[in-house]
Amino acid sequence: MINSNENNKDEKKIVLKIFRENTAQKTDSHYDTFNVPYKKWTTVLDALLYVKSYMDPSVAIRYSCRMASCGSCGMKINGIPRLACYTKISELETSTIECEPLPNLPVIRDLVTDFSRFFNHHKNIQPYIQSKDGVDDPDTEKKTFSFYQSPDEVDKYLQFSYCIKCGLCYSACPTVGTDLKFPGPQALAQLYRYYADTRDETKNRLDIVDDRHGIWRCHFAGSCSKVCPKGVDPALGIQLLRSYMLGISKNDKKLAEKNEIQTDEESI
Amino acid sequence: MMERHRMLKESQIMKIHYITGIAAIFVVAVHILMRLIVPFGSSLEYDYIISNYKNIFYVFILESILVLISIHGFNGIRIILLV
Amino acid sequence: MKEIEHDSRNNLEGIKGWLNPSRYGWERISYWFQRLTGVFLLIYFIGHVYETSTIVNGQNAWESFLELTQTVWGHLFLIMVIGASSFHSANGIRLIFTHVGIGLGTPSRPDYPYSPSSLNYRQKSGIWIALILSAAAMYYGFTVLFGE
Ligand code: HEM
Ligand code: SF4
Ligand code: FES
């Protein structure tokens, strides 16, 4: 340790400003400031963990994978929702970094927010495939055949299935910022993901969000797609979904069902 | 979330919003052209305006502007107030 | 620990977040302008209907009301109306296309570094065209109103 101090004499330091609040104890919110050494590859999460290890262990953060896979380290970094593990200090190009909890989600403590509302919106759009085959009929034996899906059919929804439910889009959305009942970009994009899946046969899936607080409150401000760390492009999913709801795009699923055997053979 | 017993679905209301918006472009264009085909000053003269109102086609255009933009504009306010 | 209610408005960005459109790129700015111009045009529309309806009270009433817009501030207000309506219509047409899924590209397998296809160049140029159009219309209005 002594050696490392000497080696690090010309190490660069960053000012890390962290939002502090304990809602359970109703303490007033304030910011704590720390001077943290960093290298070219240091992420904001690394810096926060440094603070926890060597300066103030009481700073509350949520994280797990450190590789943009689990979606738990979302926070507002310099005013914009980002994943702490996916944001390098060097790429921010500022001398002070401000970490705040994700906007539009209630604060639990410091940088940790409550995702219940976000997850409830996700559940509400029925984020699972519902298919008649072998499900409706209790006598049917366990299914012994596989669903056929051509690469083209997979491409229609694959992009949206990469969502890690990090809530960055929800946090950036201007409609969510005022309307708690609005499902938000994540849930709406997932509705599209299941609607566009040829295996899904859910009846009236679109009606779930054809509501005055539903999909029509998207004004295509694009902020969700701007901040999404996984290239999901929720705004694209929402607009494509509207295209179906307005009858501009036709659902070829129904047609495919009719010619099931033929299309399957053709696509293989 | 699912709200029933409504007169119109939200998708139908928004269809009306888009259609009234597009239709407004055309009727407002006629309205503006009526001002532009004469010099700006005289387009605002009392007698000229009154003579416009004798033209039943133009009156029809003006009425439709009133209806279309009221629907579009006040629905817009409804949208903004839905928070 | 006390449960946090799902309908808690704690930490919502609200109108304050809405008022600053500069953080998220051109699409957010266009949304901001679309809404502001929409409200502004509705205010103008109501005033305009009220103003022109004075014509039923005869020539004097009409001309005395007309004088309101014959001032420098009246002219500037009309120029704002010209700009707002040009932007709102041009951008409104773009939005209608996007809302029906046209001009956004198709879903594809995302590759790092991700670039969302819905925020593509066509959309950005659409926004710029609307802004330029509205600036040009305001310039034309300026020359007509102040050029006499
Ligand atoms: C001339 C053609 C017009 C077109 C093509 C048009 C188009 C649109 C569109 C597409 C929207 C929806 C924006 C969204 O959902 O994000 C909108 C909103 C709106 N428009 Fe228009 N519009 C037009 C004229 C007008 C006029 C003349 C008024 C004023 C009375 C007006 C007032 C509004 C208002 C108040 C909104 C709500 C703003 C919002 O939703 O953010 N529009 N317009
Ligand atoms: S769509 Fe993107 S930003 Fe939104 S929750 Fe999923 S991964 Fe996160
Ligand atoms: S720690 Fe898992 S996404 Fe950042």
Side-chain angles (χ1 to χ4, degrees):
Chain A
M1 283 316 273
I2 300 157
N3 279 349
S4 76
N5 265 349
E6 276 170 11
N7 287 344
N8 293 346
K9 247 185 200 141
D10 51 6
E11 205 171 42
K12 286 182 284 184
K13 290 214 168 184
I14 186 88
V15 179
L16 203 58
K17 230 178 117 188
I18 304 177
F19 178 89
R20 307 298 303 272
E21 183 179 23
N22 190 334
T23 43
Q25 292 180 358
K26 298 212 163 66
T27 53
D28 280 343
S29 64
H30 65 280
Y31 288 85
D32 280 342
T33 306
F34 303 94
N35 266 312
V36 184
Y38 74 101
K39 294 267 181 20
K40 202 173 87 187
W41 54 81
T42 309
T43 64
V44 174
L45 181 63
D46 292 335
L48 286 165
L49 290 174
Y50 183 94
V51 170
K52 263 182 97 67
S53 307
Y54 303 112
M55 299 165 144
D56 183 353
S58 73
V59 172
I61 54 175
R62 181 164 52 206
Y63 72 101
S64 175
C65 68
R66 310 180 193 211
M67 47 179 272
S69 289
C70 71
S72 51
C73 68
M75 60 184 69
K76 191 156 94 172
I77 300 173
N78 283 358
I80 292 175
R82 313 176 212 244
L83 294 179
C85 71
Y86 194 55
T87 308
K88 279 193 299 239
I89 287 174
S90 52
E91 90 194 60
L92 289 170
E93 289 174 344
T94 48
S95 53
T96 306
I97 292 177
E98 201 174 73
C99 294
E100 293 165 298
L102 276 182
N104 299 342
L105 295 153
V107 180
I108 297 174
R109 209 183 108 188
D110 299 349
L111 302 176
V112 181
T113 48
D114 184 345
F115 269 51
S116 313
R117 182 169 66 232
F118 173 77
F119 289 143
N120 282 345
H121 279 307
H122 184 222
K123 272 184 213 149
N124 196 44
I125 59 100
Q126 306 177 8
Y128 33 82
I129 288 167
Q130 303 176 64
S131 164
K132 288 196 296 282
D133 296 321
V135 176
D136 281 352
D137 182 3
D139 298 332
T140 317
E141 282 176 35
K142 213 173 149 200
K143 237 166 29 182
T144 51
F145 62 92
S146 42
F147 286 107
Y148 290 122
Q149 222 167 28
S150 70
D152 282 349
E153 287 169 338
V154 173
D155 278 348
K156 275 192 182 152
Y157 69 84
L158 188 72
Q159 163 178 358
F160 304 100
S161 71
Y162 288 148
C163 170
I164 57 173
K165 292 145 202 86
C166 62
L168 298 194
C169 54
Y170 190 77
S171 182
C173 174
T175 302
V176 173
T178 55
D179 186 352
L180 298 178
K181 294 187 195 137
F182 181 60
Q186 190 272 343
L188 290 170
Q190 289 313 300
L191 181 58
Y192 178 75
R193 177 251 172 274
Y194 288 98
Y195 186 74
D197 193 320
T198 51
R199 296 167 295 181
D200 181 64
E201 290 166 344
T202 309
K203 288 270 178 313
N204 306 330
R205 205 182 252 293
L206 297 182
D207 288 344
I208 302 173
V209 292
D210 195 357
D211 173 88
R212 57 193 178 137
H213 289 284
I215 188 168
W216 302 100
R217 295 295 81 80
C218 165
H219 303 278
F220 192 35
S223 313
C224 50
S225 299
K226 187 97 179 166
V227 299
C228 177
K230 302 303 281 184
V232 171
D233 199 353
L236 174 64
I238 299 172
Q239 315 315 315
L240 294 179
L241 197 56
R242 272 205 273 231
S243 172
Y244 282 109
M245 297 176 90
L246 294 169
I248 305 290
S249 294
K250 296 278 178 282
N251 192 345
D252 40 1
K253 208 154 54 181
K254 299 264 152 61
L255 302 172
E257 251 170 58
K258 273 186 200 147
N259 319 315
E260 208 170 342
I261 301 147
Q262 283 153 288
T263 37
D264 283 348
E265 278 168 359
E266 274 161 19
S267 61
I268 291 166
Chain B
M1 170 102 284
M2 260 188 270
E3 290 179 44
R4 298 207 173 79
H5 317 298
R6 284 191 189 282
M7 236 161 64
L8 290 171
K9 278 190 187 180
E10 193 65 24
S11 52
Q12 291 166 318
I13 297 178
M14 288 311 284
K15 262 183 218 168
I16 294 171
H17 192 79
Y18 300 146
I19 291 167
T20 49
I22 293 178
I25 295 182
F26 293 101
V27 285
V28 171
V30 174
H31 181 49
I32 294 172
L33 278 176
M34 291 296 278
R35 319 280 99 203
L36 291 183
I37 48 177
V38 291
F40 177 66
S42 52
S43 76
L44 290 172
E45 267 163 31
Y46 182 75
D47 294 334
Y48 178 70
I49 311 263
I50 291 292
S51 74
N52 278 172
Y53 289 148
K54 301 266 154 63
N55 181 345
I56 191 72
F57 173 72
Y58 184 64
V59 168
F60 178 74
I61 293 274
L62 284 186
E63 279 306 319
S64 51
I65 293 179
L66 196 65
V67 172
L68 291 170
I69 292 189
S70 300
I71 294 175
H72 181 92
F74 285 107
N75 185 49
I77 296 298
R78 180 193 71 99
I79 292 171
I80 294 173
L81 293 180
L82 272 174
V83 293
Chain C
M1 208 197 80
K2 207 183 117 247
E3 273 235 35
I4 288 170
E5 304 112 47
H6 299 164
D7 57 354
S8 161
R9 294 186 82 85
N10 167 298
N11 202 24
L12 274 196
E13 281 221 323
I15 307 284
K16 237 166 67 194
W18 188 89
L19 283 175
N20 173 11
S22 67
R23 294 170 293 166
Y24 296 105
W26 286 101
E27 293 78 5
R28 181 76 168 248
I29 291 169
S30 107
Y31 159 57
W32 190 71
F33 270 132
Q34 185 74 7
R35 184 158 274 196
L36 289 183
T37 53
V39 175
F40 180 69
L41 286 174
L42 185 60
I43 293 168
Y44 164 75
F45 175 72
I46 294 167
H48 183 64
V49 170
Y50 179 71
E51 179 207 16
T52 50
S53 67
T54 57
I55 204 161
V56 297
N57 299 330
Q59 186 157 5
N60 285 342
W62 165 255
E63 273 164 9
S64 66
F65 220 101
L66 204 60
E67 273 167 25
L68 271 181
T69 55
Q70 310 291 48
T71 62
V72 171
W73 285 110
H75 282 177
L76 287 176
F77 178 77
L78 290 181
I79 290 169
M80 296 274 289
V81 171
I82 294 170
S85 54
S86 321
F87 178 84
H88 191 92
S89 328
N91 192 51
I93 294 170
R94 177 188 75 88
L95 280 175
I96 291 172
F97 276 110
T98 61
H99 287 192
V100 302
I102 298 171
L104 299 162
T106 45
S108 59
R109 306 188 180 214
D111 268 324
Y112 186 85
Y114 310 121
S115 102
S117 93
S118 74
L119 309 181
N120 62 34
Y121 224 74
R122 266 175 294 176
Q123 297 310 320
K124 296 207 199 312
S125 347
I127 297 166
W128 296 329
I129 288 170
L131 284 170
I132 292 168
L133 215 68
S134 118
M138 281 165 87
Y139 176 74
Y140 174 74
F142 190 88
T143 56
V144 171
L145 286 166
F146 286 105
E148 286 166 11

